[in-house]
Amino acid sequence: MSTLTSNLRATIGNKARWFWLALALCALLALPHLLPGKYLLQLVNLGLVSLIVVLGLNYITGYCGQINFGQAAFWGIGAYVTALATLNGLSFWLAIPLAALATGLCSLLLGVPTLKLRAYYLAMATIAFGEIVQLVLVHWESVTGGTSGLRGVPGVSIAGYALTESLQHYYFLLAWCALALGLALRVRSSKLGRAMVALRDSEIAAEAAGVDTVKVKMLAFAMSSMYAGVAGGLYVSTINYVSPDLFSNAQAVLFFTMLVVGGTGSAVGAVIGTGVLTALPELLRFLKEWYLVLYGVGVILMIVFLPEGIASLGQRWRKRWPRQRVAVEAGDAAVATAPVLAAAAPTAAAAAATGTEALLQVHEVTQRFGGLVALDGVSLNVQRGTVHAVIGPNGSGKTTFLNVLSGAYTPQAGSVRLLGQELLGRRPSAIAMVGLSRTFQNIRLYKSLSVLENVMVGAACRHRGGLWGIFAESKKQRAEELALRAAAQEALLAVGLADMAQRPASSLAYAQQRLLEIARALATQPQLLLLDEPAAGMNPQEAAMLMQTIRGLRDQGITVIFVEHNVKLVMGVSDRVTVFDFGRKIAEGTPSEVQRSPEVIAAYLGRARAEVSHA
Ligand code: ADP
Ligand code: MG
């Protein structure tokens, strides 16, 4: 019965969506006929070109959270490349790919050195780039025509039919906008889009879940730039003229403002912001010289009172008037076929290399921070299929140890081998691919993604579907999405969060957030799972459940290293225990051996025992 009603509801929901889409389409098709005068139509056309630029900006700035002020320069490069190419006899349809290629290459030149660094390096590099492009356009007169620009740029013709009227340009540009928007929405609902948002929310946690953040940022930046390049080509080919003044840094700031006002991180926001900021100057024109003041104040007010952008109003509305969510596709869990939680099979070479060796071999690792020695020549072997606890007083180097294993820190000396492969010097995402995954002591979730999507980010590291599949939404890509979903559902089931799948990750209680981190790590199919104080903030029942879960994971063949404060928990669940004090390993053995070690009692357990016996 409930499936019937939910099906019904889904059908109605779909019908409503189609109704609104059809209405919007009719309005868009009718719009040019409702506008009084050609000037406004040309303005709308410029708005459509801007929309493509802003939709592009949304990839790197909206989805990835990296500030890019180069969008006007890329727009300009696209415009001039297309103008020069078509003036020299090349067809528009060949000039556009050329413009995309030119802007794509420029983005590589700018992105490769800056995107590895912190977010603001890209901002600075793109501002400088904008200035340089402007200077070149103005001063390289023999090619660009200097300040007077290039005239008589050939227009577009489709199969011999020339587009000469603004009305024709409108429909032509509208089709390009639909393509640009469709692509942006597809990317957002794919593993690539999830990876972009994940790295915006937590770059460290995205890397740990196997996301190659540098590659994803580079891709987003290239796509941003190519959108702008294509928009530039469309612009010159519809107005048949180009001059440098439109491609200034002021224009770049305007594009940026359009995205921020509409709502960064959503393609729909880009549409709204571009629409509002294109129309506003016209609507306020009757104010004469006062209009700029009002326009400025209006933008500031919008940013202050709607920091998430106009698009966020929709979300607020939905929160206030929640529609019963279309039942989480009941069939989803049933799709799960692959044994997701079993550790990824080690490669043949790795298996041969390990033989009877320990799964993890840590040798003489030393990590210094300035004068502080956080890890002092630590060596440790962990056997496959065991639960290994790391305990020690606060500041003894436990988290640092996990950070070294997972690639977050590179120690000054030592070696770390997993499955016979050296891990030191690799990026965290590469280490995740080898088969090591982790959770964090201070929780790092992707706040703007749902619980399910958080885990799907982890699952994606075992799937190899490419970019074209995402753009074309191929059959293979859809099957991969289903597989990722199933894998994520299963990981959620393993930690007891299956019925939370559709909730925003940020809405979970603290203990659940820790479980979600474990599910995300499990979805990468690790050989070795590192948990940093997984029971912190949990009540005794929750902690006991967690220990059951950890034991269950070991029984499925996953090796676990976990850091814990609660000595009782450690003793119950672990096969071996290592004790740290001041960055040194002071004891190691079975729980009972460690409990008897006088050194350990002196350094740590003595205190804890005393506390326990008092309690
Ligand atoms: P634990 O997890 O055992 O409580 P940590 O590994 O977090 O301890 O810290 C060990 C020591 O290393 C502490 O003194 C801490 O201040 C220091 N430390 C850890 N990370 C850094 C860092 N990134 N920079 C400087 N000092 C650090
Ligand atoms: Mg710690």
Side-chain angles (χ1 to χ4, degrees):
M1 187 63 201
S2 71
T3 17
L4 198 70
T5 45
S6 72
N7 276 346
L8 198 66
R9 218 174 267 134
T11 321
I12 293 170
N14 267 339
K15 276 206 173 136
R17 184 179 305 168
W18 282 113
F19 171 76
W20 287 113
L21 268 178
L23 198 71
L25 192 66
C26 289
L28 284 171
L29 292 178
L31 177 72
H33 302 284
L34 305 175
L35 289 174
K38 197 171 161 195
Y39 167 73
L40 282 184
L41 185 54
Q42 282 169 345
L43 186 78
V44 169
N45 284 352
L46 178 62
L48 291 178
V49 171
S50 306
L51 175 58
I52 298 174
V53 181
V54 178
L55 279 169
L57 183 61
N58 186 46
Y59 287 113
I60 186 73
T61 299
Y63 294 163
C64 292
Q66 313 289 309
I67 293 173
N68 168 17
F69 282 119
Q71 213 56 349
F74 288 115
W75 187 35
I77 291 173
Y80 274 87
V81 166
T82 308
L84 289 168
T86 51
L87 280 170
N88 283 298
L90 206 66
S91 138
F92 164 83
W93 298 103
L94 291 175
I96 285 288
L98 204 62
L101 189 71
T103 43
L105 284 178
C106 288
S107 74
L108 282 181
L109 285 177
L110 268 182
V112 167
T114 52
L115 283 173
K116 281 192 195 137
L117 308 169
R118 286 188 180 283
Y120 45 78
Y121 282 91
L122 183 68
M124 295 191 308
T126 48
I127 289 172
F129 179 67
E131 290 297 334
I132 294 169
V133 168
Q134 181 72 204
L135 285 173
V136 170
L137 293 183
V138 170
H139 294 288
W140 196 13
E141 273 182 45
S142 57
V143 175
T144 65
T147 43
S148 47
L150 300 169
R151 286 169 192 285
V153 178
V156 185
S157 56
I158 302 172
Y161 178 77
L163 306 182
T164 50
E165 297 296 317
S166 296
L167 189 65
Q168 295 165 332
H169 292 151
Y170 171 80
Y171 291 119
F172 180 63
L173 292 173
L174 197 62
W176 281 92
C177 283
L179 182 69
L181 179 63
L183 223 54
L185 292 175
R186 273 187 184 177
V187 166
R188 175 58 189 84
S189 63
S190 73
K191 65 177 177 189
L192 177 59
R194 284 190 297 272
M196 289 176 181
V197 176
L199 79 85
R200 178 187 72 194
D201 286 354
S202 171
E203 201 157 334
I204 292 176
E207 273 284 331
V211 175
D212 184 337
T213 54
V214 174
K215 194 170 129 197
V216 171
K217 279 191 274 185
M218 201 51 249
L219 204 59
F221 188 42
M223 280 157 61
S224 277
S225 311
M226 288 161 92
Y227 263 54
V230 169
L234 293 170
Y235 178 70
V236 284
S237 303
T238 50
I239 69 161
N240 312 109
Y241 164 72
V242 61
S243 73
D245 37 296
L246 252 188
F247 311 115
S248 62
N249 275 344
Q251 182 66 34
V253 173
L254 179 60
F255 288 139
F256 196 85
T257 316
M258 285 175 171
L259 185 63
V260 172
V261 164
T264 49
S266 108
V268 176
V271 175
I272 297 171
T274 311
V276 169
L277 288 201
T278 305
L280 212 55
E282 287 313 305
L283 295 176
L284 300 179
R285 197 166 288 276
F286 70 94
L287 294 167
K288 302 231 168 66
E289 56 270 28
W290 282 98
Y291 109 85
L292 261 182
V293 177
L294 215 78
Y295 173 79
V297 171
V299 168
I300 291 172
L301 285 180
M302 269 194 243
I303 291 173
V304 169
F305 288 105
L306 269 179
E308 317 256 283
I310 300 174
S312 69
L313 279 176
Q315 279 157 14
R316 285 194 201 178
W317 176 264
R318 251 174 275 144
K319 250 185 214 156
R320 190 175 293 180
W321 309 102
R323 225 185 338 162
Q324 183 99 27
R325 258 217 113 83
V326 177
V328 181
E329 300 82 66
D332 270 7
V335 184
T337 44
V340 181
L341 294 186
T347 59
T354 50
T356 55
E357 285 174 4
L359 176 75
L360 177 77
Q361 298 163 300
V362 180
H363 186 68
E364 294 285 328
V365 164
T366 296
Q367 171 75 56
R368 289 186 208 93
F369 297 109
L372 180 94
V373 187
L375 291 176
D376 192 359
V378 171
S379 297
L380 184 82
N381 280 354
V382 175
Q383 300 301 326
R384 181 186 285 281
T386 56
V387 173
H388 198 117
V390 174
I391 62 173
N394 260 333
S396 57
K398 305 181 298 293
T399 296
T400 304
F401 183 61
L402 298 196
N403 279 337
V404 166
L405 298 188
S406 63
Y409 295 159
T410 309
Q412 282 75 23
S415 109
V416 175
R417 297 171 80 81
L418 178 68
L419 292 159
Q421 299 183 47
E422 179 62 57
L423 298 187
L424 292 193
R426 297 195 196 200
R427 290 159 48 80
S429 51
I431 292 177
M433 298 299 291
V434 176
L436 181 151
S437 191
R438 69 170 294 182
T439 65
F440 296 89
Q441 184 175 348
N442 42 349
I443 298 170
R444 294 174 193 271
L445 291 173
Y446 317 132
K447 291 190 296 290
S448 25
L449 295 180
S450 72
V451 166
L452 186 73
E453 286 179 309
N454 263 269
V455 185
M456 285 171 85
V457 170
C461 95
R462 299 288 164 215
H463 287 81
R464 307 271 70 193
L467 205 54
W468 294 114
I470 293 172
F471 290 163
E473 215 164 71
S474 67
K475 218 168 151 187
K476 209 172 119 203
Q477 142 79 7
R478 285 200 297 269
E480 188 187 285
E481 270 298 296
L482 281 181
L484 288 176
R485 212 164 236 273
Q489 293 272 15
E490 190 163 336
L492 285 172
L493 204 62
V495 299
L497 287 181
D499 47 354
M500 307 269 172
Q502 298 302 324
R503 301 234 325 234
S506 53
S507 73
L508 294 189
Y510 194 70
Q512 293 171 332
Q513 295 194 9
R514 289 211 175 275
L515 292 173
L516 176 53
E517 277 211 339
I518 297 178
R520 180 177 67 194
L522 282 177
T524 67
Q525 300 184 22
Q527 301 278 327
L528 177 62
L529 179 64
L530 312 181
L531 306 174
D532 200 348
E533 303 204 13
M538 290 190 176
N539 65 33
Q541 286 86 354
E542 287 167 336
M545 288 270 289
L546 176 72
M547 293 304 133
Q548 290 281 355
T549 308
I550 291 179
R551 233 174 283 167
L553 294 176
R554 176 195 60 190
D555 296 342
Q556 292 183 47
I558 299 174
T559 309
V560 179
I561 298 182
F562 80 115
V563 168
E564 185 47 66
H565 258 313
N566 187 330
V567 178
K568 243 163 76 189
L569 285 183
V570 169
M571 297 308 167
V573 73
S574 36
D575 300 302
R576 286 187 84 73
V577 180
T578 296
V579 187
F580 279 13
D581 198 18
F582 293 110
R584 287 166 172 273
K585 186 169 99 174
I586 59 165
E588 185 171 274
T590 63
S592 53
E593 282 167 4
V594 166
Q595 267 171 313
R596 282 196 301 269
S597 152
E599 249 189 315
V600 175
I601 294 169
Y604 184 68
L605 285 177
R607 244 176 305 156
R609 271 211 186 135
E611 281 161 21
V612 170
S613 60
H614 275 133

